[in-house]
Amino acid sequence: MRLSLPILGIACLALHGTHAEVREVWKDITSNKDIQLSQSGYSSLIKHLDDALPNVSVDKVVADANHEMTITKGRYKWPATKDDNEFDNESWYPQGISSSVDAGDAKYTKNHLFLVSWYAKKNKEKGVRITFVNTSVSPPKYRQVLLVEPTGTSSKPSFKTVGVHAGGIAWYGSLLYVADTDNGVRIFDVDHIYKVKDGDGAGRQSNGDYHAYGYKYVLPQVRKFKVHGDPKDHEYTYSCLALDRTSNPPAIVFGEYYHAADGDASRVARFDLDSTTHLLKVNSDNIATASKVLLHGEHRVQGAITVNGRYFLSQSNGDDGSDIIGYTVGDKSSKQYHLLPPGSEDLTYDGDAKILWTLTEHVGERYIIGTGIGEISK
């Protein structure tokens, strides 16, 4: 069962309006063919971690949810109680969002799930966690899972936490793409979620137990795509990402975050996906090249996606309300829609409900919010 997702989106619009302002003309710079990523091999340690630890399915993780959200004013709201406070928590900040609609595999669609990434602002050694939110139950429930990178040896496999900002995520098949700002993107596999024992630290302990800073489950990295080559303008910054399932082939869309003081060099890049492997398409040298790159010059971009050929950017404005920027190739200019509360972040699209989802990061204003796609396609 899904909880009236279209209604949630409409409620958001009613709160914030749909006034649009004309923006700047975008420029196609795809012909440079210089935004590239190099694919690593699959982690050889995964099979050894499989042998060492209980492998738990997504359904079992979701069934073991131990926190609740509420729905208020058409938004999913994180808890703000004395014993369970994500709404005002200054230790962890939410960044990326994806869903089981993105995953597109019947294995994961028993419930409607959101996946949300958080980075540790305090206690940075804890890295990044992923929240599995089940919105098919009332109230919505969730469980936190720690991201880890395999380390150690075949006889003593271990793992460490992942120190990235995780500004964007995309769930495609069993793979979870996580933005690694200056380095490219890391790939995790939800078919290899491990159950560990409660305890301090992360990884294999001297007695052979595995800990994850008190988290019950960990999700391991299986490979990565690393920055490759020397772009004509400047290195690409992989600030955020999203999955476009409306294109053929599907694609991962990467956005860049720049302040106004950094100039007007912000770009958005699309990388085509292989629908069989669910990985970025690569050549014989395992190099993936962006299939479309647009220079747009917008600042403070926190999320980027394409839906039916139209580009959408999520733009934060400090303590003021956030905006969605919309642009279709061939238009004379882009449009700015004043829609969102402060602190908007990553984007994901639900093609079934026709809703563009985002989340907000500011302490005391943390929500998952939907916007009807029709209202920002005009």
Side-chain angles (χ1 to χ4, degrees):
M1 181 188 76
R2 299 180 63 179
L3 292 178
S4 303
L5 300 187
I7 294 175
L8 292 176
I10 292 169
C12 169
L13 293 172
L15 283 169
H16 300 287
T18 57
H19 175 61
E21 291 183 4
V22 173
R23 303 292 286 179
E24 301 299 322
V25 176
W26 292 24
K27 180 181 178 183
D28 191 328
I29 57 171
T30 308
S31 59
N32 291 343
K33 295 183 179 179
D34 57 0
I35 308 299
Q36 296 181 314
L37 292 166
S38 174
Q39 177 182 254
S40 76
Y42 188 86
S43 173
S44 61
L45 290 171
I46 293 296
K47 63 182 179 181
H48 302 295
L49 286 169
D50 283 346
D51 292 337
L53 288 163
N55 200 324
V56 182
S57 69
V58 169
D59 280 349
K60 288 185 178 180
V61 170
V62 171
D64 197 23
N66 58 344
H67 303 274
E68 294 183 354
M69 298 183 77
T70 56
I71 299 175
T72 178
K73 297 181 180 179
R75 311 164 178 177
Y76 294 107
K77 179 183 177 182
W78 299 100
T81 67
K82 180 180 178 180
D83 298 323
D84 196 4
N85 191 349
E86 305 291 3
F87 197 65
D88 301 308
N89 188 340
E90 296 185 9
S91 296
W92 292 90
Y93 276 68
Q95 296 293 302
I97 187 168
S98 188
S99 79
S100 51
V101 176
D102 281 343
D105 189 318
K107 186 192 303 186
Y108 314 115
T109 55
K110 177 180 177 181
N111 299 290
H112 178 268
L113 308 176
F114 283 117
L115 266 56
V116 173
S117 63
W118 306 65
Y119 75 92
K121 193 162 188 176
K122 296 180 180 179
N123 304 120
K124 294 182 179 180
E125 68 278 5
K126 295 182 180 180
V128 176
R129 67 187 187 189
I130 298 293
T131 309
F132 286 72
V133 183
N134 183 2
T135 66
S136 293
V137 295
S138 183
K141 295 183 178 181
Y142 66 92
R143 165 68 77 167
Q144 308 279 17
V145 176
L146 197 67
L147 291 188
V148 297
E149 180 179 356
T151 62
T153 64
S154 59
S155 60
K156 293 182 179 180
S158 187
F159 52 76
K160 63 181 180 179
T161 56
V162 177
V164 301
H165 192 70
I169 62 174
W171 186 7
Y172 187 41
S174 70
L175 303 183
L176 181 66
Y177 285 70
V178 177
D180 185 354
T181 312
D182 295 322
N183 302 301
V185 60
R186 300 189 186 213
I187 312 295
F188 300 77
D189 193 333
V190 301
D191 284 348
H192 297 272
I193 298 175
Y194 303 125
K195 181 180 178 181
V196 299
K197 292 189 175 181
D198 188 18
D200 297 331
R204 190 178 190 274
Q205 307 300 302
S206 58
N207 65 355
D209 289 344
Y210 289 82
H211 295 172
Y213 288 108
Y215 289 91
K216 189 174 182 178
Y217 303 106
V218 298
L219 175 57
Q221 179 178 316
V222 296
R223 69 171 77 234
K224 61 186 176 182
F225 284 85
K226 189 175 181 180
V227 170
H228 177 80
D230 186 19
K232 179 179 179 181
D233 296 314
H234 54 88
E235 292 290 341
Y236 198 88
T237 303
Y238 295 83
S239 303
C240 53
L241 64 86
L243 173 65
D244 179 3
R245 272 192 164 276
T246 67
S247 62
N248 186 18
I252 295 290
V253 181
F254 293 95
E256 292 187 295
Y257 179 98
Y258 286 106
H259 291 285
D262 298 324
D264 299 326
S266 299
R267 297 158 292 184
V268 60
R270 286 173 50 90
F271 283 78
D272 292 341
L273 286 160
D274 184 314
S275 58
T276 300
T277 65
H278 299 135
L279 295 168
L280 302 182
K281 287 188 174 182
V282 297
N283 62 18
S284 57
D285 295 318
N286 287 320
I287 303 301
T289 301
S291 58
K292 178 71 74 173
V293 184
L294 297 181
L295 174 68
H296 55 76
E298 295 287 355
H299 305 129
R300 305 178 307 281
V301 172
Q302 304 278 8
I305 195 170
T306 48
V307 178
N308 296 320
R310 185 167 176 79
Y311 286 78
F312 295 101
L313 308 177
S314 166
Q315 182 180 60
S316 62
N317 297 301
D319 292 332
D320 296 327
S322 302
D323 302 315
I324 293 178
I325 307 296
Y327 176 76
T328 300
V329 174
D331 285 353
K332 292 182 179 180
S333 60
S334 60
K335 289 183 178 180
Q336 181 183 40
Y337 303 86
H338 306 294
L339 287 169
L340 303 171
S344 68
E345 290 290 323
D346 198 26
L347 298 169
T348 188
Y349 179 61
D350 183 337
D352 296 335
K354 294 182 169 43
I355 292 178
L356 187 66
W357 292 96
T358 188
L359 72 167
T360 52
E361 72 162 350
H362 285 195
V363 172
E365 296 184 82
R366 290 181 174 166
Y367 306 95
I368 296 175
I369 303 170
T371 300
I373 198 70
E375 298 299 324
I376 51 177
S377 299
K378 299 175 182 178

